[in-house]
């Protein structure tokens, strides 16, 4: 038997950038996850999951060795293969799809919601452990159909949370179209990647630094800024995408924005980010088309498009807009309201019946609670049941007589045999 | 922009001892988690969560340095504090309770269900990543009330999964009572820990090895084996516990078993394990009283009792007993059945209406799907809707005329304006 260290400590804290969720905080997260899940299912996605950690090379093959400093990586004690906590789910999804590509439906529509981990310095809206929701459509030969269905699911979630087209904006771009337009604006083919990187980094650069870097790759910034969005909108893909989104009722939500390139190297076509309209907070969601990734993980060439949304920024935006429901509303939505609180009239014989009655109600599938207060003041005990927001309070007097009171309507029935209490409060 | 490694690989696999969950496998896990959640809530527990990894010393303070070889531990890149993936949740729970002990209700009843990680060699019923359900009652001064309520919740889950007292057995013991009886059977006080360890390890030892070890601490094995269970049952705590469980209707499920000691050093009183009745498989669940732990983590002296149950062994037992519902039953229970599949009669004008109709149904909160098949054979498309187990199929002919067919009753309505389809299929 190992001996616990003798030094007790009052200073244990959650690691930097992680969170403790007490019941109220967790219910708020569950509210968001419930909206994610319901939206995913309504849009025809099926849920999958994979390991919390993967072989480290699953991440370096996609993002290069440079990603290692952003990962929590480790070996098993005594040495073995190297692992890393997932910084995102897409590599796992690509691995899972690639290994069963031949037997999976076309398209395959998957959603996923679990935690991700990044070894960065925590900032507002960016933690080391956070919950992420992903939706992906893989293997649909109609890119337009998949892109619009995916965008519809993302906007559908925002709508389901009470957000409007005035609160948030979905900024859409297309890496291929932007590359074409960078070339029209003077950038040579070998500098295209640098051009995309520069557009992606622009918001964090001084305008002088940006102009200097742009001129080094011969990018005509004035031309690009005035005409690129128009060019993208007027491209064949752009016209079709926006007219389809209009037919879905979502044209108010979307705008072309050539500044959206998404930092990750693997996007190949349409890319998008969702932002709070005034520019407050980080991106709420982001995604795009990654047609080369399944093949990189050993599968057949497969078109694919997906997005991710984290819980942290979405929560901040919902709170800022007053759209996070009250704790009572969340409890109702999650089915946390007690069906009954069982108390006794204080006699020993009645008190003896509380435990068996609770057991019978719970066995019948009801959410039944007792009071843990020591008082025998029935009025106070009923107030305790009201405070717990129970639908009913059951006051046991004897095996033949309990009072069953509906706390919503105040209707009460006296003299109910204890064995029949469950039938009285069944929904 | 970092450059992805050029070498593609067809050999990416999930790490040893972890699992990929495709939709059907994940639905089976969600079925178990749904039962866990519903049972916890019905018994008055509230859900909490904490970080997936903790400071390494959170685990060594409780279990000693010996635990490090069983952990996935790591540092942030560039060095910093040491972390470890949680092998269990109890240290996090104790830390969270200790840091808010003064403002939490008495008792506090918490449940938790997330993944845990152990760097051991995987075996049947024991993986490196698995899902765990914990229920804990902290700060109830009535140990009898808390112990029986906790056992009732654990047995309530087994019942809710369709298991009976003939399928599984809840083996209960009490470390204090067993220690008393070890002393009656010859063991001196300084050897008590060794005696408990020996009882815990007995099932894995040859009877000769056990007898030799027992004799080295002067344990009279014959006396212990014939009388310890009877002694425990007749102890004051034993009598009360069993009579309370009988009044809850659970006496058939439980038995005294002095061989149950639980390997972990921190249990202080009642301990229990749930086993498949024939002894097949590892323990389904285990737990007990740990009255010293909250104080060890910096809180006030606090009575506490809890148990954990993993998904792996429970799933094996349910499958063995034929108690895992069919995939269709699980889909119904989890609300995964589509409300409608929307198709067109194949004309361009009707096909154009599929996407807006889908968007409208989804916006109204319905689970709406389309067909991705290229056929225009309506019979085949309807069969596809049947295969997806949709409640309705919607066949669009024109903006003024859609056929809405209930696939359960075969009742159909023709000539429904497309704008009114949602109203027709609303639950």
């Amino acid at each position: 038997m190992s001996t616990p260290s003798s030094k007790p400590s009052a200073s244990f804290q959650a690691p930097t950038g992680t969170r403790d969720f007490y019941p109220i905080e967790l219910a708020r997260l569950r509210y968001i996850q419930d909206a994610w899940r319901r939206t995913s299912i309504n849009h025809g996605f099926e849920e999958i999951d994979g390991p919390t950690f993967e072989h480290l090379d699953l991440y370096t093959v996609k993002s290069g060795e440079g990603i290692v400093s952003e990962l929590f990586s480790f070996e098993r004690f005594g040495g073995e293969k190297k692992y890393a906590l997932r910084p995102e789910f897409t590599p796992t999804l690509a691995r899972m799809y690639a290994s069963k590509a031949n037997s999976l439906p076309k398209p395959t529509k998957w959603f996923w919601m679990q935690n991700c981990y990044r070894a960065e310095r925590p900032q507002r809206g960016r933690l080391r452990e956070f919950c992420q929701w992903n939706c992906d459509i893989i293997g649909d030969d109609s890119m337009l159909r998949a892109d619009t269905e995916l965008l519809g699911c993302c906007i559908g979630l925002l709508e389901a949370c009470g957000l409007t087209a005035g609160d948030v904006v979905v900024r859409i771009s297309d890496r291929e179209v932007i590359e074409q337009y960078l070339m029209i604006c003077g950038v040579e083919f070998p500098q295209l990647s640098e051009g995309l990187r520069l557009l992606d980094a622009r918001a964090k650069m001084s305008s002088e630094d940006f102009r200097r870097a742009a001129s080094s790759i011969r990018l005509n910034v004035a031309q690009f800024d005035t005409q690129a969005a128009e060019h993208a909108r007027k491209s064949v893909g752009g016209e079709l995408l926006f007219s389809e989104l209009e037919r879905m009722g979502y044209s108010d939500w979307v705008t072309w924005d050539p500044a959206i390139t998404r930092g990750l190297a693997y996007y190949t076509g349409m890319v998008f980010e969702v932002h709070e309209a005034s520019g407050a907070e980080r991106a709420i969601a982001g995604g795009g088309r990654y047609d080369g990734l399944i093949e990189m993980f050993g599968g057949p060439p497969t078109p694919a498009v997906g997005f991710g949304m984290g819980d942290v920024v979405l929560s901040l935006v919902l709170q800022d807009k007053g759209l996070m429901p009250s704790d009572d509303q969340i409890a109702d939505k999650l089915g946390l309201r007690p069906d009954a609180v069982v108390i006794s009239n204080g006699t020993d014989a009645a008190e003896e019946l509380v435990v068996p009655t609770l057991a019978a109600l719970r066995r019948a599938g009801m959410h039944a609670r007792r009071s843990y207060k020591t008082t025998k003041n029935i009025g106070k005990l009923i107030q305790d049941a009201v405070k717990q927001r129970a639908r009913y309070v059951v006051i046991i007097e004897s095996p033949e007589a309990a009072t069953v009171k509906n706390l919503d309507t105040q209707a009460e029935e006296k003299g109910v045999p204890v064995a029949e209490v469950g039938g009285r409060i069944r929904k």
Side-chain angles (χ1 to χ4, degrees), chain A residues 171-182 184-185 223-243 255-260 269-271:
Chain A
R171 301 183 189 281
I172 302 180
S173 186
D174 186 302
R175 291 189 45 160
E176 288 185 11
V177 175
I178 296 300
E179 284 181 4
Q180 286 163 18
Y181 207 68
L182 283 172
I184 291 173
C185 295
Q223 183 186 4
F224 187 86
D225 282 354
T226 51
Q227 296 169 19
E230 188 68 11
H231 171 83
R233 197 195 327 267
K234 292 255 170 87
S235 69
V236 176
E239 290 276 9
L240 286 170
L241 185 73
F242 272 63
S243 85
T255 184
W256 275 107
D257 185 345
I260 301 298
M270 187 275 290
V271 288

Side-chain angles (χ1 to χ4, degrees), chain A residues 229-415:
Chain A
E230 188 68 11
H231 171 83
R233 197 195 327 267
K234 292 255 170 87
S235 69
V236 176
E239 290 276 9
L240 286 170
L241 185 73
F242 272 63
S243 85
E244 197 77 348
L245 289 169
E246 184 168 359
R247 298 199 308 117
M248 294 164 76
Y250 287 139
S251 56
D252 288 352
W253 294 73
V254 293
T255 184
W256 275 107
D257 185 345
I260 301 298
T261 62
R262 306 287 296 152
L264 296 163
Y266 59 86
Y267 287 115
T268 53
M270 187 275 290
V271 288
F272 72 99
E273 287 182 4
V274 181
H275 287 265
E276 197 277 332
S278 72
E281 311 297 350
R282 291 162 179 278
I284 297 168
R289 180 159 284 285
Y290 52 93
D291 291 342
L293 201 68
I294 302 293
E295 199 176 359
M296 184 185 288
F297 285 86
T302 308
V305 63
F307 72 85
M309 182 185 292
D311 74 297
V312 183
V313 177
L314 178 63
S315 296
L316 290 171
V317 171
L318 292 180
Q319 278 158 22
D320 288 350
K321 309 272 180 199
L323 290 171
M324 187 62 86
S326 73
D327 293 331
D328 284 352
Q329 288 169 329
I330 289 175
D332 289 352
K333 202 172 174 71
L334 298 179
L336 302 179
R337 200 176 162 197
D339 294 312
V341 169
V342 179
I343 61 180
S344 80
N345 68 352
T347 63
D348 285 352
E351 191 66 28
E352 283 265 300
L353 291 166
V354 170
V355 165
T357 305
L358 276 175
L361 293 177
R362 290 166 175 173
R363 188 177 284 132
M366 279 176 266
H367 176 174
R369 296 188 174 192
R370 61 175 297 158
S371 172
Y372 295 93
K373 298 206 183 300
T374 47
T375 179
K376 297 204 170 181
N377 178 326
I378 293 182
K380 284 193 180 165
L381 292 173
I382 292 174
Q383 277 317 303
D384 186 40
V386 170
K387 208 175 146 199
Q388 294 184 59
R389 302 181 62 248
R391 293 169 56 234
Y392 288 87
V393 63
V394 176
I395 307 147
I396 299 176
E397 287 121 41
S398 74
E400 293 77 37
T403 298
V404 178
K405 181 171 182 177
N406 183 319
L407 293 173
D408 290 335
T409 65
Q410 303 301 316
E412 74 177 17
E413 186 179 359
K414 290 175 185 282

Side-chain angles (χ1 to χ4, degrees), chain A residues 80-255:
Chain A
E80 204 183 74
K81 289 168 181 163
K82 282 198 173 171
Y83 303 110
L85 293 183
R86 60 181 168 230
E88 53 160 336
F89 185 65
T90 307
T92 301
L93 173 137
R95 175 177 67 66
M96 286 176 64
Y97 185 90
S99 79
K100 298 215 175 181
N102 293 332
S103 60
L104 290 168
K106 282 192 195 316
T108 287
K109 293 168 66 181
W110 280 341
F111 79 95
W112 173 84
M113 39 189 264
Q114 294 290 340
N115 289 3
C116 293
Y117 310 86
R118 293 195 182 154
E120 299 166 314
R121 192 160 300 279
Q123 300 169 36
R124 179 175 169 92
R126 206 162 175 89
L127 299 177
R128 287 188 173 168
E129 175 168 18
F130 56 96
C131 189
Q132 172 100 353
W133 172 47
N134 277 23
C135 290
D136 294 88
I137 301 177
I138 312 149
D140 192 338
D141 290 330
S142 167
M143 293 194 193
L144 176 66
R145 179 169 67 188
D147 289 353
T148 49
E149 190 163 22
L150 188 85
L151 284 162
C153 180
C154 184
I155 300 171
L157 180 281
L158 302 170
E159 260 190 324
C161 290
L163 292 162
T164 68
D167 295 319
V168 295
V169 56
V170 182
R171 301 183 189 281
I172 302 180
S173 186
D174 186 302
R175 291 189 45 160
E176 288 185 11
V177 175
I178 296 300
E179 284 181 4
Q180 286 163 18
Y181 207 68
L182 283 172
M183 291 179 78
I184 291 173
C185 295
V187 180
E188 306 270 339
F189 183 80
Q191 269 82 47
L192 277 181
S193 293
E194 177 59 17
L196 284 173
R197 197 200 58 73
L198 196 59
L199 293 175
D200 190 55
R202 185 174 187 174
K204 292 169 203 146
M205 300 172 78
S206 71
S207 65
E208 196 180 341
D209 284 350
F210 176 75
R211 283 184 183 278
R212 193 177 310 122
S215 110
S216 78
I217 57 169
R218 300 196 190 177
L219 169 60
N220 181 333
V221 174
Q223 183 186 4
F224 187 86
D225 282 354
T226 51
Q227 296 169 19
E230 188 68 11
H231 171 83
R233 197 195 327 267
K234 292 255 170 87
S235 69
V236 176
E239 290 276 9
L240 286 170
L241 185 73
F242 272 63
S243 85
E244 197 77 348
L245 289 169
E246 184 168 359
R247 298 199 308 117
M248 294 164 76
Y250 287 139
S251 56
D252 288 352
W253 294 73
V254 293
T255 184

